[in-house]
Every structure is written in C-alpha cells, then in structure tokens.
Amino acid sequence: MVELLAPAGDKERLEFALLYGADAVYFGGKDFSLRANAKNFSREDITYACAYAHSLNKKVYVTVNIVFHNDDIDGLEDYLRFLKEVKVDGIICSDILVLKKIKELKINTKVILSTQASTLNHEAAKFYKSLGVNQVVLAREALKEDIQRIKKETGLEIECFVHGAMCTSISGKCIMSNYMTNRDSNRGGCAQICRWVFNEDDEVPFTMTPKDLNFIDYIGDMIKSGVNTFKVEGRMRSIYYIATVILCYRRVIDKILKGTLTSEDKAYYLKILNRCANRESAPQFYHKLPTYKEQYYALRDEESNQDFLGIVKDYDERTHLATIEERNLFKVGDKVEFIGPNLQTFEDTVTEIYDEDGNPLEVANKPRMIIKIKVSKPVSINDLMRVKIN
C-alpha cells in the first residue's frame, strides 16, 4: 500500500487536496492539535470531512498530538468518543495518555504515532506498537538505514514527511518558542523563533532555520525501503500550494508504480515544486546528514509567490470562455498555464478578458474578481490558472 497524505487547514483546502490526488488528509480539531494558528476543524467540520472523504473512497486522519499538561486533559475522552462516532480513519497522537485512552474506550480505529514522538529506532517503535500503535510517523531526521531497520524489526506501517517545513529542533521538540514568547510549541503555539533574524553587537545578522524538505528525487527508493505513507506538511499553506504539491507527488508516485518515471519527469516536477513556495528546499535527511548547504545561516530573501492567477469556476464549450476567480494580476498578452487533476497541463496566451457584464478588460487586477477569458482548450471547475513555468 502506498498512500499520499495531504494537510488540510480548512474545508476548502481539504476538498482541493482530495481533488488533486491525495489518498487521505490530516487535520486538527479546535482542541488537542499542534497547529493552533490554523483555522482547524469544528466538530461539524470534522463530520463533514469524514462524509466527504468517504464518499470519494478516501480517508481522514485527525491529530490529537499535543504534549498534554494536567489542564489539557479535560474533554479528551468525550472528544475521542466523538471521533469514533464520525468514523475517522485514524488518530494521530504522541502522548501515551492518548494511546491509553484509545485502548480504554475501545476506539477501533487506526492509531498513528505522531512525529512529535521523535521515533528514530526500532526498540522505541516496538514499545509504541505494544501500546496499540499501527503506524509510526518517523522523525524527519530518519535516515534510509533507520527506516529499513524499523520496518524490518517491527512490521509497522511507516509514514514519512516528504515535503514542507523542517524544524530546527528534532521533530518538534523545541522550547525556544516557550522561552522567547511564552507560546508552547508542543501545545500548538510555535512562534517559529528559528525563522527570526538575530542581531548581536552590530555583527552580521544570522538565522538558524533549515531549508524546506523536498524528497521528490527519492520517492521510488523510499517505496523500496518500506515507506507506506508519504506525508506533505502545510496545514496553513494556500490551496495553490496544496494543489500543486499534491498533484506533483501524485503523478510521480503513479509513474513510479507504473515503471514509467523518467529523469525528465523528475526534473520537471522538481522545477514546479521549487516555484510554488517562497523558501528554498532540499532533501535534508534520508540519504545523508545535511550540511550547511541545507540550512539558512544568514539573511535570506523570501519573495511572495504570485504564480497563482485564478481558479476555474465554469467553462462554456460553445464560446470557449472560462469563468475565473482571479487571485493575482494578469493581463492580455500574458503567457499562462492551466493545471488540474484530470487535465494535461497546457500553456495558453491570454487574448481576451471580460468582466461579469461582458465588458472587455485589458487587465484583471482585483483579487477574487470574477472575469471570463478565452481559452484554447476545455477546462473544468477547480482547475487552476498560473504563470507559465519556463
């Protein structure tokens, strides 16, 4: 079994993640989740998410992965019972308290050990297996040899992060946020201190953050090493980021399983992935220990990405006009591309733009304005329009 797992910060991103090729999504509820700054899901949202995903034969995993203090425990049992009732497909947790409660309450769902447990060896994995864990999300610092040994010794399903942000500390064990801002990173309040710029006595400013994770070159080898689930980080990322990253990994995984992936394919998808975020990326661990080249140790330039131009809301086969909800400025004469889950990516030139009343425009420059443009090929609702990638 090979599973592509996507983050979902809200219902819209959940729908786009599943539409663009994820086999499953993960997210947190309003409580007990490590992404307090994400919108997160109410109980009503979680009920909807399960019904929607299951209607597509896809899965939902819910994070209950904070490190619990005494005053966090109230309401946990009721919440776990609720997750059982709505038939979530798995619960992601790190605290032994949650593992104990799942067993006591006889909650018959997949139990996934969070990366917060920092699992890097087979003995620890065996211990968690004895507590009812079915699948382990290995620490991002796991090397190939670690993965293979843990798989061989435990028989557990293995989940690895393959794309997204890295933590300066070992898989989230950081307390810098607590120290600097009194926000607990292990209870969802990380202030990302490692992204800050530090100055001391007029010396050259420095940072200490790793570049983002990108394993697109190693997916085939990871499958052979026993990885079952390939996890993308980014519950607070945009729908464009989620759709682009998931579509790239979906197509790479499918080509690997069919034996048709070429070096040209990998180079193309790497180029796309490097464009959709404003931070540099690197393979980090797995094949070797990272060096200074995989870190930001001095000032960095992170320009806002404006590749995302719009979402297709409708298409008229008779007039060849696509209705677009605009997200970034574009104008007549611009070279663009259309991508979609069931679309062969194609290039186009913007030749005509019209407002909702049919008046011609030279430029679309108001975010979320609804316009129509002439397209050379049919498109579908929820296809995305972006800047042409050279």
Side-chain angles (χ1 to χ4, degrees), residues 139-157:
R140 289 170 174 84
E141 297 76 23
L143 296 169
K144 177 179 178 178
E145 294 76 16
D146 301 323
I147 295 170
Q148 292 174 331
R149 182 78 183 274
I150 292 168
K151 183 71 173 184
K152 177 182 177 182
E153 298 285 347
T154 69
L156 285 166
E157 293 183 36

Side-chain angles (χ1 to χ4, degrees), residues 270-282:
L270 180 60
K271 178 172 66 175
I272 298 299
L273 290 170
N274 283 336
R275 280 289 297 260
C276 73
N278 62 349
R279 287 169 53 83
E280 294 180 54
S281 64

Side-chain angles (χ1 to χ4, degrees), residues 194-245:
C194 57
R195 304 275 181 97
W196 290 13
V197 177
F198 292 87
N199 297 276
E200 185 174 353
D201 298 330
D202 297 323
E203 292 187 8
V204 177
F206 72 94
T207 59
M208 63 184 82
T209 182
K211 295 178 181 178
D212 283 357
L213 182 64
N214 184 333
F215 269 175
I216 199 71
D217 277 335
Y218 296 95
I219 298 300
D221 196 48
M222 293 177 79
I223 292 174
K224 293 177 183 176
S225 293
V227 176
N228 302 99
T229 296
F230 295 88
K231 187 172 192 173
V232 173
E233 182 275 340
R235 278 189 265 167
M236 292 185 284
R237 299 277 195 168
S238 69
I239 60 170
Y240 174 69
Y241 177 90
I242 297 299
T244 302
V245 172

Side-chain angles (χ1 to χ4, degrees), residues 366-388:
K366 298 176 182 176
R368 294 186 180 270
M369 71 184 295
I370 302 298
I371 52 91
K372 296 180 186 292
I373 67 170
K374 183 82 76 173
V375 291
S376 62
K377 296 181 181 179
V379 290
S380 300
I381 295 172
N382 290 328
D383 286 345
L384 301 181
M385 176 181 168
R386 70 185 180 199
V387 171
K388 181 180 177 298

Side-chain angles (χ1 to χ4, degrees), residues 93-96 99 112-129 133 135-143 145-151 154 156-161 170-173:
C93 53
S94 63
D95 200 308
I96 292 174
L99 296 174
I112 304 166
L113 185 68
S114 171
T115 193
Q116 288 298 115
S118 304
T119 307
L120 285 167
N121 68 81
H122 63 279
E123 291 294 346
K126 282 181 181 178
F127 168 73
Y128 284 110
K129 184 177 181 179
V133 166
Q135 179 162 314
V136 56
V137 187
L138 296 183
R140 289 170 174 84
E141 297 76 23
L143 296 169
E145 294 76 16
D146 301 323
I147 295 170
Q148 292 174 331
R149 182 78 183 274
I150 292 168
K151 183 71 173 184
T154 69
L156 285 166
E157 293 183 36
I158 302 296
E159 180 175 326
C160 291
F161 278 96
I170 293 179
S171 287
K173 294 297 187 186

Side-chain angles (χ1 to χ4, degrees), residues 333-348:
D334 281 354
K335 303 290 185 181
V336 300
E337 289 181 347
F338 286 89
I339 66 170
N342 302 304
L343 183 69
Q344 183 67 42
T345 300
F346 71 91
E347 301 173 3
D348 215 343

Side-chain angles (χ1 to χ4, degrees), residues 62-330:
V62 176
T63 59
V64 189
N65 59 344
I66 65 168
V67 175
F68 282 76
H69 292 226
N70 286 322
D71 55 2
D72 296 319
I73 297 174
D74 289 346
L76 175 60
E77 287 191 6
D78 177 65
Y79 185 61
L80 292 174
R81 288 192 185 98
F82 164 74
L83 296 181
K84 176 183 178 180
E85 289 171 6
V86 297
K87 296 181 171 57
V88 300
D89 299 283
I91 296 173
I92 304 171
C93 53
S94 63
D95 200 308
I96 292 174
L97 162 69
V98 182
L99 296 174
K100 180 173 179 286
K101 291 296 182 183
I102 289 173
K103 185 171 288 189
E104 288 176 354
L105 297 171
K106 296 181 170 58
I107 296 175
N108 186 26
T109 190
K110 190 174 192 176
V111 181
I112 304 166
L113 185 68
S114 171
T115 193
Q116 288 298 115
S118 304
T119 307
L120 285 167
N121 68 81
H122 63 279
E123 291 294 346
K126 282 181 181 178
F127 168 73
Y128 284 110
K129 184 177 181 179
S130 73
L131 298 180
V133 166
N134 310 112
Q135 179 162 314
V136 56
V137 187
L138 296 183
R140 289 170 174 84
E141 297 76 23
L143 296 169
K144 177 179 178 178
E145 294 76 16
D146 301 323
I147 295 170
Q148 292 174 331
R149 182 78 183 274
I150 292 168
K151 183 71 173 184
K152 177 182 177 182
E153 298 285 347
T154 69
L156 285 166
E157 293 183 36
I158 302 296
E159 180 175 326
C160 291
F161 278 96
V162 293
H163 202 90
M166 289 286 292
C167 188
T168 298
S169 186
I170 293 179
S171 287
K173 294 297 187 186
C174 183
I175 59 169
M176 285 194 297
S177 181
N178 306 52
Y179 181 76
M180 299 289 287
T181 67
N182 203 31
R183 286 169 50 181
D184 192 342
S185 55
N186 296 306
R187 285 194 284 176
C190 182
Q192 296 188 316
I193 305 303
C194 57
R195 304 275 181 97
W196 290 13
V197 177
F198 292 87
N199 297 276
E200 185 174 353
D201 298 330
D202 297 323
E203 292 187 8
V204 177
F206 72 94
T207 59
M208 63 184 82
T209 182
K211 295 178 181 178
D212 283 357
L213 182 64
N214 184 333
F215 269 175
I216 199 71
D217 277 335
Y218 296 95
I219 298 300
D221 196 48
M222 293 177 79
I223 292 174
K224 293 177 183 176
S225 293
V227 176
N228 302 99
T229 296
F230 295 88
K231 187 172 192 173
V232 173
E233 182 275 340
R235 278 189 265 167
M236 292 185 284
R237 299 277 195 168
S238 69
I239 60 170
Y240 174 69
Y241 177 90
I242 297 299
T244 302
V245 172
I246 293 302
L247 188 61
C248 285
Y249 278 93
R250 174 79 277 153
R251 290 184 170 167
V252 166
I253 289 171
D254 289 347
K255 284 176 178 287
I256 288 170
L257 296 178
K258 293 175 183 176
T260 60
L261 184 70
T262 66
S263 57
E264 290 79 13
D265 289 329
K266 286 203 291 187
Y268 170 75
Y269 290 116
L270 180 60
K271 178 172 66 175
I272 298 299
L273 290 170
N274 283 336
R275 280 289 297 260
C276 73
N278 62 349
R279 287 169 53 83
E280 294 180 54
S281 64
Q284 297 295 355
F285 294 84
Y286 183 71
H287 70 302
K288 67 177 181 65
L289 293 176
T291 68
Y292 73 93
K293 294 181 179 179
E294 284 76 46
Q295 313 293 314
Y296 286 115
Y297 61 90
L299 293 178
R300 60 191 189 273
D301 183 17
E302 296 180 358
E303 295 183 2
S304 176
N305 183 288
Q306 297 182 333
D307 285 355
F308 180 26
L309 299 179
I311 305 172
V312 176
K313 293 297 185 179
D314 200 2
Y315 172 69
D316 189 325
E317 292 183 358
R318 182 179 57 84
T319 62
H320 305 295
L321 288 174
T323 302
I324 305 289
E325 181 182 281
E326 184 259 358
R327 291 301 177 94
N328 278 298
L329 182 150
F330 62 90

